[in-house]
Amino acid sequence: MRWANARPPLLLLGAAAVGAFLVLLPIGLTILRATEVSGGQAAHFLLRPLVGTLLLNTVCLTAVSSALAIVVGTGAAWFVERTRLPGRQAWAVLLAVPLAIPSFITSYAWISISPALEGFAGAVLVVTCAYYPLLYLPVAASLRNLDPALEDSARALGCGPVVCFVRVVLPQLHPALLGGTLLVALNVLTEFGAFALLRFRTFTTEIYIEYRASFDGATGSLLASILIVLCLFCLMAELRIRGSARYGRIGRGVRRPASLHELGQIKWVVVALLAALVVVTTGMPLITTLYWMTQHGAAAITPAEVSPALLTAATLSSLGYGLGGTLIAMVLAIPIGFLATRYRGRTVTLVERTSYLTQGMPGIVIALAMVFLTVHYLHPLYQSSALLILVYGIQFLSLAVVGVRAALAHAQLGLEEAARSLGLNVFQVAYRVMLPLAGPGLGAAAAMVFIAVVTELTATLLLAPIGTQTLATQVWADTSTLAFAAAAPYAAIMMALSLTASWLLARQFGQSRVGDPAQSHQPSQISDRTAPVA
C-alpha cells in the first residue's frame, strides 16, 4: 500500500496518542500509589495470610475455569463444525448466547436458587458458563477454516479418528486454544460482580473492600499491582507458548470443506449434552429471571418491591452512559485504527499495542486510579458523569480498536488512492471515503462497546454520581441484600438490551465488507468483542 512507508500526519499521530496516554495513565497512577507505601509496611501488608488466600483463590479459580472452558468449548465446537449434528446452525447460535448475558446476572440466577452455591464451586460454575464461548468461538472458526487434506492423509496412513484429532487437528488449533484460554483467564482475573454476589474472595473483591475501608488508600493499589502482574503474566505466557509457529497453508490448490463425521448411536447423547449445556448457561439465567419477575417481593428472602420510577431512571441512565461511553471509546479508537491500518513504524506499533493493554487491566484498577487523580488534582470531575463516561472509554478502548481496525482494514484501498490522486488530503479521504466504506464495521464495533458499557458494574459502583443508579448497580444492590424479586426486572431489561445489541452486532458483522464487492455477500471475519491481540 502506498501509505505504508509515508510518515503519518502529526495531527493524526497526536489524536491516536491521546488514547494511548489515557490507557497508560491508570497503570502509572496505580504504581505511583503503591510506591507510597514503605517497604516494611508493604511487606507486612502483602505477607498476611489473607493475601495468600486471595492468591490461591484467584489462581486456582483461573486455572480450573480455563481448563473446563477448553474441554467444553473445544468439544462443542467439534460437534457443531465437524459432525452431522441435528440442527447445527441453531446450536452454533445458542452456544454463543452466554456472551450476551453478564456474568453477574448468571451469578444472580444461580445464587437466587440456592445459597449453597456460594464459594469456589459456585464461582467455577458461573465463570465457566459465562466465558466458555470465548474459547468455543475461535476454535469453531479454526475448525471451519482448517484444510482437511492433512486429516485425509493421516487417515490414509491408518490413523483412527481419535489419533487423527490429537496428532493432526489439535496442533492446528493451538492459536485458537491459546487465544481463547487467554481471554478466559483475563476475564476471570478481572471479574468482580459475580464473585461479590457469590461471597467468594479474590483480588478484585478485596480491592473493593480496601477502597471502601480507606477510600483512596495505597493498600488497594498494592493489591491492584499484584492483579496487574497476574494479567501481564498471562499475556506473556500466551505469547511465549505461542512462539513464532506458523499455521497457514503454503501449498497450491483449492481448500475444500471438511467432511462431516457421522455420530451414529451417540447422536442423541450429544444432542442431550448440548441441550443441557444451553439450559445451564443460557436457560437458567432467563428462566430464573422470569420466575422472580412473576413473584411478589415478599417471596424473596428479603422482601422488596420494584419501584417503576427507579426502574425507568436506571434504564435511562444505563442507556445514556452506554451511548456516552461508546462515543468516547470510538472517538479514541478511530485515529488509532486508522493509524494502524494505513501506516507502519515503531511509533505506530507502540501506540496501537498500548491501546490493547486495557484488555488485561481490571476495571477496578482503572476506577481506583481515576478516583485518586480526581480527588487530588481534578476535584471538579470527582463523582461526575463525565468522569464515569471517560473511564468507560478507557476501559473498553481495546474492544473499539479491534473492531475499528478490522473495519478499516476491509475497506477497499483503491478508492482511497483514487481520492488522494484527486487532491483530497488524508482527513478528507478519511471523512468522505473511509468512514462511509467502513460504516457497517464501525457500527459493529460500537455495538461491542455498548454491550460492554451497559453491563459494566465495577467502575460504575466506584464512580457513579451519588444518587445515580444503573441497571447493573441496581441488580447488584438488590441481590446483595437477597431481594431477588426486586432485582429481576433490572436483570431482564439488561439482558434484553445486551441480546438486542448482540443481534445488531451479528447483522453488522455480516455487512462489514461493503468496501470489497467480491465479498459483499460473505460473512466478515473480523474479530469478536473479546478477540485476543498479539
Side-chain angles (χ1 to χ4, degrees):
M1 187 173 66
R2 296 179 186 176
W3 294 9
N5 297 321
R7 179 173 297 178
L10 290 179
L11 186 58
L12 175 63
L13 189 60
V18 171
F21 170 76
L22 290 175
V23 169
L24 293 174
L25 182 61
I27 298 177
L29 289 173
T30 300
I31 296 174
L32 177 65
R33 289 291 285 157
T35 57
E36 293 178 2
V37 183
S38 65
Q41 291 177 327
H44 177 74
F45 180 80
L46 295 177
L47 294 178
R48 294 178 302 162
L50 173 61
V51 177
T53 301
L54 295 176
L55 182 62
L56 182 64
N57 287 349
T58 302
V59 172
C60 289
L61 180 61
T62 303
V64 173
S65 57
S66 298
L68 289 175
I70 291 173
V71 174
V72 175
T74 305
W78 171 261
F79 286 118
V80 169
E81 297 296 334
R82 288 302 184 89
T83 68
R84 295 191 182 278
L85 180 71
R88 290 173 61 230
Q89 298 299 324
W91 290 118
V93 175
L94 290 173
L95 291 170
V97 168
L99 278 182
I101 302 176
S103 57
F104 66 91
I105 296 296
T106 304
S107 178
Y108 152 75
W110 284 102
I111 200 67
S112 65
I113 295 175
S114 173
L117 289 170
E118 293 180 355
F120 182 79
V124 169
L125 172 65
V126 167
V127 295
T128 302
C129 290
Y131 296 134
Y132 87 87
L134 297 177
L135 225 145
Y136 159 76
L137 288 173
V139 171
S142 294
L143 286 171
R144 194 178 311 125
N145 294 322
L146 287 183
D147 188 350
L150 292 177
E151 300 172 58
D152 295 341
S153 299
R155 296 298 295 272
L157 293 172
C159 295
V162 176
V163 174
C164 181
F165 177 81
V166 173
R167 298 183 61 180
V168 178
V169 177
L170 199 57
Q172 297 181 81
L173 296 179
H174 278 174
L177 288 171
L178 290 174
T181 304
L182 173 65
L183 291 174
V184 173
L186 290 177
N187 277 275
V188 173
L189 285 173
T190 59
E191 178 60 48
F192 166 76
F195 301 150
L197 296 180
L198 291 167
R199 310 294 194 271
F200 184 72
R201 302 181 79 171
T202 63
F203 278 109
T204 53
T205 61
E206 195 64 26
I207 291 170
Y208 182 77
I209 292 173
E210 287 290 331
Y211 166 77
R212 288 301 187 190
S214 58
F215 190 50
D216 63 338
T219 53
S221 297
L222 283 174
L223 294 177
S225 299
I226 298 176
L227 194 54
I228 291 175
V229 170
L230 289 175
C231 292
L232 291 176
F233 174 80
C234 290
L235 290 168
M236 293 300 102
E238 189 271 343
L239 184 62
R240 180 66 179 271
I241 295 173
R242 174 160 52 89
S244 59
R246 295 292 181 266
Y247 299 87
R249 173 176 174 165
I250 60 175
R252 296 181 178 180
V254 178
R255 177 181 297 170
R256 63 174 178 79
S259 302
L260 299 180
H261 300 279
E262 297 288 348
L263 289 173
Q265 297 180 348
I266 67 168
K267 176 173 64 176
W268 298 112
V269 174
V270 173
V271 170
L273 290 175
L274 292 180
L277 178 62
V278 171
V279 169
V280 170
T281 58
T282 303
M284 285 305 302
L286 296 176
I287 294 171
T288 303
T289 301
L290 292 175
Y291 167 78
W292 283 113
M293 287 185 67
T294 63
Q295 301 301 305
H296 194 271
I301 297 176
T302 301
E305 297 297 337
V306 179
S307 168
L310 182 57
L311 180 63
T312 301
T315 303
L316 293 177
S317 293
S318 293
L319 289 173
Y321 284 126
L323 294 174
T326 300
L327 177 62
I328 294 298
M330 294 299 292
V331 168
L332 294 174
I334 287 176
I336 298 175
F338 190 86
L339 189 72
T341 55
R342 297 300 178 261
Y343 297 95
R344 296 291 182 269
R346 292 181 179 179
T347 303
V348 174
T349 301
L350 179 63
V351 170
E352 181 195 7
R353 295 301 173 90
T354 300
S355 68
Y356 293 140
L357 290 177
T358 57
Q359 187 171 311
M361 194 189 315
I364 195 168
V365 173
I366 301 175
L368 285 177
M370 300 308 286
V371 166
F372 169 75
L373 178 65
T374 54
V375 166
H376 290 86
Y377 303 105
L378 300 172
H379 192 70
L381 285 178
Y382 179 66
Q383 287 285 308
S384 68
S385 296
L387 176 63
L388 181 57
I389 290 174
L390 176 62
V391 168
Y392 287 148
I394 298 172
Q395 186 175 352
F396 302 115
L397 177 60
S398 60
L399 302 184
V401 171
V402 168
V404 168
R405 195 186 193 286
L408 295 177
H410 285 149
Q412 195 171 0
L413 301 181
L415 296 179
E416 301 174 48
E417 296 178 351
R420 291 296 298 273
S421 68
L422 293 174
L424 298 183
N425 61 38
V426 63
F427 298 103
Q428 291 174 320
V429 171
Y431 177 73
R432 298 176 61 180
V433 179
M434 286 290 299
L435 292 183
L437 287 174
L442 296 179
M448 290 192 291
V449 178
F450 180 80
I451 294 171
V453 173
V454 168
T455 59
E456 204 283 332
L457 175 63
T458 312
T460 311
L461 284 174
L462 297 179
L463 299 175
I466 296 175
T468 299
Q469 294 290 345
T470 66
L471 294 171
T473 58
Q474 197 58 40
V475 169
W476 189 84
D478 287 335
T479 307
S480 298
T481 59
L482 305 183
F484 301 124
Y490 302 97
I493 294 176
M494 189 185 307
M495 284 191 289
L497 289 174
S498 185
L499 289 169
T500 301
S502 298
W503 176 72
L504 293 174
L505 173 63
R507 289 196 62 190
Q508 291 285 21
F509 272 178
Q511 303 173 21
S512 61
R513 282 191 171 183
V514 295
D516 187 353
Q519 302 290 346
S520 60
H521 298 292
Q522 297 181 11
S524 173
Q525 300 193 11
I526 66 177
S527 302
D528 70 319
R529 67 185 176 98
T530 48
V533 178

Short mmCIF file of all heavy atoms in Angstrom, two decimals, residues 319-366:
data_model
loop_
_atom_site.label_atom_id
_atom_site.label_comp_id
_atom_site.label_asym_id
_atom_site.label_seq_id
_atom_site.Cartn_x
_atom_site.Cartn_y
_atom_site.Cartn_z
N LEU A 319 -28.75 3.50 29.43
CA LEU A 319 -28.72 3.85 28.01
C LEU A 319 -27.85 5.09 27.78
O LEU A 319 -27.05 5.12 26.83
CB LEU A 319 -30.14 4.11 27.51
CG LEU A 319 -31.04 2.89 27.37
CD1 LEU A 319 -32.47 3.32 27.03
CD2 LEU A 319 -30.52 1.95 26.30
N GLY A 320 -28.00 6.09 28.65
CA GLY A 320 -27.21 7.30 28.49
C GLY A 320 -25.73 7.05 28.65
O GLY A 320 -24.91 7.50 27.82
N TYR A 321 -25.37 6.32 29.71
CA TYR A 321 -23.95 6.01 29.92
C TYR A 321 -23.42 5.09 28.82
O TYR A 321 -22.26 5.20 28.41
CB TYR A 321 -23.74 5.36 31.29
CG TYR A 321 -23.80 6.34 32.43
CD1 TYR A 321 -24.67 6.14 33.50
CD2 TYR A 321 -22.98 7.46 32.45
CE1 TYR A 321 -24.72 7.04 34.56
CE2 TYR A 321 -23.03 8.36 33.50
CZ TYR A 321 -23.90 8.15 34.55
OH TYR A 321 -23.95 9.04 35.59
N GLY A 322 -24.28 4.16 28.35
CA GLY A 322 -23.85 3.27 27.27
C GLY A 322 -23.52 4.04 26.01
O GLY A 322 -22.48 3.81 25.37
N LEU A 323 -24.39 4.98 25.64
CA LEU A 323 -24.14 5.78 24.44
C LEU A 323 -22.94 6.70 24.63
O LEU A 323 -22.10 6.85 23.72
CB LEU A 323 -25.39 6.59 24.10
CG LEU A 323 -26.62 5.78 23.68
CD1 LEU A 323 -27.83 6.69 23.52
CD2 LEU A 323 -26.35 5.02 22.39
N GLY A 324 -22.83 7.31 25.82
CA GLY A 324 -21.70 8.21 26.07
C GLY A 324 -20.37 7.48 26.08
O GLY A 324 -19.39 7.94 25.47
N GLY A 325 -20.31 6.34 26.78
CA GLY A 325 -19.08 5.56 26.81
C GLY A 325 -18.70 5.03 25.45
O GLY A 325 -17.50 5.01 25.08
N THR A 326 -19.70 4.62 24.67
CA THR A 326 -19.43 4.14 23.31
C THR A 326 -18.86 5.25 22.44
O THR A 326 -17.91 5.04 21.67
CB THR A 326 -20.72 3.57 22.69
OG1 THR A 326 -21.20 2.50 23.48
CG2 THR A 326 -20.47 3.10 21.27
N LEU A 327 -19.44 6.46 22.56
CA LEU A 327 -18.97 7.59 21.76
C LEU A 327 -17.51 7.91 22.09
O LEU A 327 -16.68 8.09 21.18
CB LEU A 327 -19.85 8.81 22.03
CG LEU A 327 -19.43 10.11 21.32
CD1 LEU A 327 -19.49 9.94 19.81
CD2 LEU A 327 -20.32 11.26 21.77
N ILE A 328 -17.16 7.96 23.38
CA ILE A 328 -15.79 8.27 23.77
C ILE A 328 -14.83 7.20 23.27
O ILE A 328 -13.75 7.49 22.73
CB ILE A 328 -15.68 8.43 25.30
CG1 ILE A 328 -16.48 9.64 25.77
CG2 ILE A 328 -14.22 8.56 25.72
CD1 ILE A 328 -16.00 10.95 25.21
N ALA A 329 -15.19 5.93 23.46
CA ALA A 329 -14.32 4.84 23.02
C ALA A 329 -14.09 4.88 21.51
O ALA A 329 -12.96 4.68 21.03
CB ALA A 329 -14.91 3.49 23.43
N MET A 330 -15.14 5.16 20.76
CA MET A 330 -14.99 5.21 19.30
C MET A 330 -14.17 6.41 18.86
O MET A 330 -13.36 6.32 17.93
CB MET A 330 -16.38 5.24 18.65
CG MET A 330 -17.20 3.97 18.86
SD MET A 330 -16.43 2.51 18.15
CE MET A 330 -16.54 2.89 16.40
N VAL A 331 -14.37 7.56 19.51
CA VAL A 331 -13.58 8.74 19.17
C VAL A 331 -12.10 8.50 19.42
O VAL A 331 -11.23 8.92 18.65
CB VAL A 331 -14.09 9.96 19.97
CG1 VAL A 331 -13.11 11.13 19.86
CG2 VAL A 331 -15.45 10.40 19.47
N LEU A 332 -11.79 7.80 20.52
CA LEU A 332 -10.39 7.49 20.81
C LEU A 332 -9.84 6.40 19.89
O LEU A 332 -8.65 6.39 19.57
CB LEU A 332 -10.26 7.03 22.27
CG LEU A 332 -10.55 8.07 23.36
CD1 LEU A 332 -10.51 7.42 24.73
CD2 LEU A 332 -9.56 9.22 23.30
N ALA A 333 -10.70 5.46 19.47
CA ALA A 333 -10.23 4.30 18.71
C ALA A 333 -10.05 4.58 17.23
O ALA A 333 -9.17 3.98 16.60
CB ALA A 333 -11.21 3.14 18.89
N ILE A 334 -10.86 5.44 16.64
CA ILE A 334 -10.79 5.66 15.19
C ILE A 334 -9.42 6.17 14.75
O ILE A 334 -8.85 5.65 13.78
CB ILE A 334 -11.93 6.59 14.74
CG1 ILE A 334 -13.27 5.83 14.78
CG2 ILE A 334 -11.68 7.12 13.33
CD1 ILE A 334 -14.48 6.68 14.44
N PRO A 335 -8.82 7.17 15.42
CA PRO A 335 -7.45 7.56 15.00
C PRO A 335 -6.44 6.43 15.14
O PRO A 335 -5.56 6.28 14.28
CB PRO A 335 -7.12 8.73 15.93
CG PRO A 335 -8.43 9.24 16.41
CD PRO A 335 -9.33 8.04 16.49
N ILE A 336 -6.56 5.63 16.21
CA ILE A 336 -5.62 4.52 16.40
C ILE A 336 -5.81 3.48 15.30
O ILE A 336 -4.84 2.99 14.72
CB ILE A 336 -5.82 3.89 17.79
CG1 ILE A 336 -5.52 4.91 18.88
CG2 ILE A 336 -4.94 2.66 17.96
CD1 ILE A 336 -5.80 4.41 20.28
N GLY A 337 -7.06 3.13 15.00
CA GLY A 337 -7.33 2.15 13.95
C GLY A 337 -6.88 2.63 12.59
O GLY A 337 -6.29 1.88 11.80
N PHE A 338 -7.13 3.91 12.30
CA PHE A 338 -6.70 4.46 11.01
C PHE A 338 -5.19 4.47 10.91
O PHE A 338 -4.60 4.12 9.87
CB PHE A 338 -7.26 5.87 10.86
CG PHE A 338 -7.08 6.46 9.48
CD1 PHE A 338 -8.01 6.21 8.49
CD2 PHE A 338 -5.98 7.23 9.18
CE1 PHE A 338 -7.85 6.72 7.22
CE2 PHE A 338 -5.80 7.76 7.91
CZ PHE A 338 -6.74 7.51 6.93
N LEU A 339 -4.52 4.86 11.99
CA LEU A 339 -3.05 4.89 12.00
C LEU A 339 -2.48 3.49 11.81
O LEU A 339 -1.52 3.29 11.04
CB LEU A 339 -2.58 5.48 13.33
CG LEU A 339 -1.09 5.80 13.48
CD1 LEU A 339 -0.73 7.01 12.64
CD2 LEU A 339 -0.76 6.05 14.95
N ALA A 340 -3.07 2.50 12.50
CA ALA A 340 -2.53 1.14 12.46
C ALA A 340 -2.73 0.47 11.11
O ALA A 340 -1.91 -0.37 10.72
CB ALA A 340 -3.17 0.30 13.56
N THR A 341 -3.80 0.82 10.39
CA THR A 341 -4.08 0.16 9.12
C THR A 341 -3.48 0.88 7.91
O THR A 341 -3.41 0.30 6.84
CB THR A 341 -5.60 0.03 8.89
OG1 THR A 341 -6.21 1.32 9.01
CG2 THR A 341 -6.22 -0.91 9.92
N ARG A 342 -3.05 2.11 8.11
CA ARG A 342 -2.57 2.87 6.95
C ARG A 342 -1.09 3.27 7.04
O ARG A 342 -0.54 3.78 6.07
CB ARG A 342 -3.42 4.14 6.79
CG ARG A 342 -4.88 3.83 6.48
CD ARG A 342 -5.01 3.04 5.20
NE ARG A 342 -6.38 2.69 4.89
CZ ARG A 342 -6.93 1.52 5.15
NH1 ARG A 342 -6.22 0.58 5.76
NH2 ARG A 342 -8.18 1.26 4.82
N TYR A 343 -0.46 3.07 8.18
CA TYR A 343 0.93 3.47 8.33
C TYR A 343 1.70 2.39 9.07
O TYR A 343 1.12 1.54 9.74
CB TYR A 343 1.04 4.80 9.07
CG TYR A 343 0.39 5.95 8.34
CD1 TYR A 343 -0.92 6.33 8.63
CD2 TYR A 343 1.07 6.65 7.35
CE1 TYR A 343 -1.54 7.36 7.96
CE2 TYR A 343 0.46 7.69 6.66
CZ TYR A 343 -0.84 8.04 6.98
OH TYR A 343 -1.44 9.07 6.29
N ARG A 344 3.01 2.43 8.95
CA ARG A 344 3.89 1.47 9.61
C ARG A 344 4.97 2.22 10.35
O ARG A 344 5.23 3.40 10.11
CB ARG A 344 4.53 0.53 8.57
CG ARG A 344 3.53 -0.34 7.83
CD ARG A 344 2.90 -1.38 8.75
NE ARG A 344 1.99 -2.23 8.00
CZ ARG A 344 0.70 -1.98 7.85
NH1 ARG A 344 0.17 -0.89 8.38
NH2 ARG A 344 -0.06 -2.81 7.16
N GLY A 345 5.62 1.52 11.27
CA GLY A 345 6.71 2.12 12.01
C GLY A 345 6.60 1.78 13.49
O GLY A 345 5.56 1.32 13.98
N ARG A 346 7.70 1.99 14.21
CA ARG A 346 7.74 1.64 15.62
C ARG A 346 6.76 2.48 16.44
O ARG A 346 6.12 1.97 17.36
CB ARG A 346 9.16 1.83 16.16
CG ARG A 346 10.17 0.83 15.58
CD ARG A 346 11.55 1.05 16.18
NE ARG A 346 12.51 0.09 15.64
CZ ARG A 346 13.79 0.06 15.98
NH1 ARG A 346 14.26 0.94 16.86
NH2 ARG A 346 14.60 -0.85 15.45
N THR A 347 6.67 3.75 16.11
CA THR A 347 5.75 4.62 16.86
C THR A 347 4.31 4.17 16.66
O THR A 347 3.53 4.12 17.62
CB THR A 347 5.91 6.08 16.42
OG1 THR A 347 7.27 6.48 16.60
CG2 THR A 347 5.01 6.98 17.23
N VAL A 348 3.96 3.83 15.44
CA VAL A 348 2.60 3.35 15.15
C VAL A 348 2.32 2.07 15.92
O VAL A 348 1.26 1.92 16.55
CB VAL A 348 2.42 3.14 13.64
CG1 VAL A 348 1.07 2.51 13.35
CG2 VAL A 348 2.56 4.46 12.90
N THR A 349 3.27 1.14 15.87
CA THR A 349 3.09 -0.12 16.58
C THR A 349 2.97 0.10 18.08
O THR A 349 2.12 -0.52 18.75
CB THR A 349 4.28 -1.06 16.30
OG1 THR A 349 4.36 -1.29 14.89
CG2 THR A 349 4.10 -2.39 17.01
N LEU A 350 3.78 0.99 18.63
CA LEU A 350 3.74 1.26 20.06
C LEU A 350 2.39 1.83 20.48
O LEU A 350 1.81 1.41 21.49
CB LEU A 350 4.87 2.22 20.44
CG LEU A 350 4.94 2.64 21.92
CD1 LEU A 350 5.20 1.42 22.79
CD2 LEU A 350 6.01 3.71 22.12
N VAL A 351 1.89 2.78 19.71
CA VAL A 351 0.59 3.38 20.03
C VAL A 351 -0.52 2.35 19.97
O VAL A 351 -1.37 2.27 20.86
CB VAL A 351 0.30 4.56 19.07
CG1 VAL A 351 -1.14 5.04 19.24
CG2 VAL A 351 1.26 5.71 19.33
N GLU A 352 -0.50 1.52 18.92
CA GLU A 352 -1.56 0.51 18.77
C GLU A 352 -1.50 -0.51 19.90
O GLU A 352 -2.52 -0.82 20.53
CB GLU A 352 -1.42 -0.19 17.43
CG GLU A 352 -2.51 -1.22 17.21
CD GLU A 352 -2.19 -2.16 16.06
OE1 GLU A 352 -1.06 -2.09 15.52
OE2 GLU A 352 -3.05 -2.99 15.72
N ARG A 353 -0.32 -1.06 20.18
CA ARG A 353 -0.20 -2.09 21.20
C ARG A 353 -0.54 -1.54 22.59
O ARG A 353 -1.07 -2.26 23.43
CB ARG A 353 1.20 -2.69 21.18
CG ARG A 353 1.51 -3.44 19.88
CD ARG A 353 0.54 -4.58 19.64
NE ARG A 353 0.71 -5.20 18.35
CZ ARG A 353 1.52 -6.23 18.12
NH1 ARG A 353 2.25 -6.72 19.10
NH2 ARG A 353 1.59 -6.77 16.92
N THR A 354 -0.20 -0.30 22.84
CA THR A 354 -0.53 0.29 24.13
C THR A 354 -2.04 0.32 24.36
O THR A 354 -2.52 0.08 25.47
CB THR A 354 0.04 1.72 24.23
OG1 THR A 354 1.46 1.67 24.09
CG2 THR A 354 -0.31 2.36 25.56
N SER A 355 -2.79 0.59 23.30
CA SER A 355 -4.24 0.65 23.45
C SER A 355 -4.83 -0.69 23.85
O SER A 355 -5.91 -0.76 24.44
CB SER A 355 -4.89 1.11 22.14
OG SER A 355 -4.74 0.14 21.12
N TYR A 356 -4.12 -1.80 23.55
CA TYR A 356 -4.62 -3.12 23.88
C TYR A 356 -4.38 -3.50 25.35
O TYR A 356 -4.86 -4.54 25.79
CB TYR A 356 -3.96 -4.18 22.99
CG TYR A 356 -4.35 -4.07 21.53
CD1 TYR A 356 -3.41 -4.28 20.53
CD2 TYR A 356 -5.64 -3.78 21.15
CE1 TYR A 356 -3.74 -4.20 19.19
CE2 TYR A 356 -5.99 -3.68 19.82
CZ TYR A 356 -5.04 -3.89 18.84
OH TYR A 356 -5.38 -3.80 17.53
N LEU A 357 -3.61 -2.69 26.08
CA LEU A 357 -3.32 -3.03 27.47
C LEU A 357 -4.58 -3.08 28.33
O LEU A 357 -4.61 -3.78 29.33
CB LEU A 357 -2.32 -2.02 28.06
CG LEU A 357 -0.89 -2.09 27.53
CD1 LEU A 357 -0.05 -1.00 28.16
CD2 LEU A 357 -0.28 -3.46 27.80
N THR A 358 -5.61 -2.33 27.95
CA THR A 358 -6.84 -2.36 28.75
C THR A 358 -7.50 -3.73 28.72
O THR A 358 -8.33 -4.03 29.58
CB THR A 358 -7.84 -1.31 28.24
OG1 THR A 358 -8.11 -1.54 26.85
CG2 THR A 358 -7.30 0.09 28.41
N GLN A 359 -7.14 -4.55 27.73
CA GLN A 359 -7.70 -5.89 27.65
C GLN A 359 -7.32 -6.72 28.88
O GLN A 359 -8.07 -7.60 29.30
CB GLN A 359 -7.21 -6.57 26.39
CG GLN A 359 -7.85 -7.92 26.10
CD GLN A 359 -7.47 -8.40 24.72
OE1 GLN A 359 -7.57 -7.68 23.75
NE2 GLN A 359 -7.02 -9.63 24.62
N GLY A 360 -6.15 -6.45 29.45
CA GLY A 360 -5.72 -7.19 30.63
C GLY A 360 -5.69 -6.34 31.88
O GLY A 360 -5.03 -6.71 32.86
N MET A 361 -6.40 -5.20 31.87
CA MET A 361 -6.41 -4.31 33.02
C MET A 361 -7.78 -4.36 33.70
O MET A 361 -8.79 -4.04 33.07
CB MET A 361 -6.09 -2.87 32.60
CG MET A 361 -5.75 -1.96 33.77
SD MET A 361 -5.64 -0.22 33.27
CE MET A 361 -4.67 -0.34 31.78
N PRO A 362 -7.85 -4.75 34.97
CA PRO A 362 -9.13 -4.81 35.66
C PRO A 362 -9.81 -3.45 35.72
O PRO A 362 -9.14 -2.42 35.94
CB PRO A 362 -8.76 -5.31 37.06
CG PRO A 362 -7.43 -5.97 36.90
CD PRO A 362 -6.74 -5.22 35.80
N GLY A 363 -11.12 -3.43 35.56
CA GLY A 363 -11.86 -2.18 35.63
C GLY A 363 -11.71 -1.50 36.97
O GLY A 363 -11.69 -0.26 37.06
N ILE A 364 -11.58 -2.29 38.04
CA ILE A 364 -11.46 -1.70 39.37
C ILE A 364 -10.14 -0.95 39.51
O ILE A 364 -10.05 0.05 40.25
CB ILE A 364 -11.60 -2.79 40.45
CG1 ILE A 364 -11.85 -2.15 41.81
CG2 ILE A 364 -10.38 -3.71 40.49
CD1 ILE A 364 -12.27 -3.14 42.87
N VAL A 365 -9.10 -1.38 38.81
CA VAL A 365 -7.81 -0.68 38.84
C VAL A 365 -7.93 0.68 38.17
O VAL A 365 -7.45 1.70 38.68
CB VAL A 365 -6.72 -1.54 38.17
CG1 VAL A 365 -5.42 -0.76 38.03
CG2 VAL A 365 -6.49 -2.82 38.96
N ILE A 366 -8.57 0.71 37.01
CA ILE A 366 -8.78 1.98 36.30
C ILE A 366 -9.60 2.93 37.17
O ILE A 366 -9.27 4.11 37.31
CB ILE A 366 -9.48 1.73 34.96
CG1 ILE A 366 -8.63 0.81 34.07
CG2 ILE A 366 -9.74 3.05 34.25
CD1 ILE A 366 -9.31 0.43 32.77
#
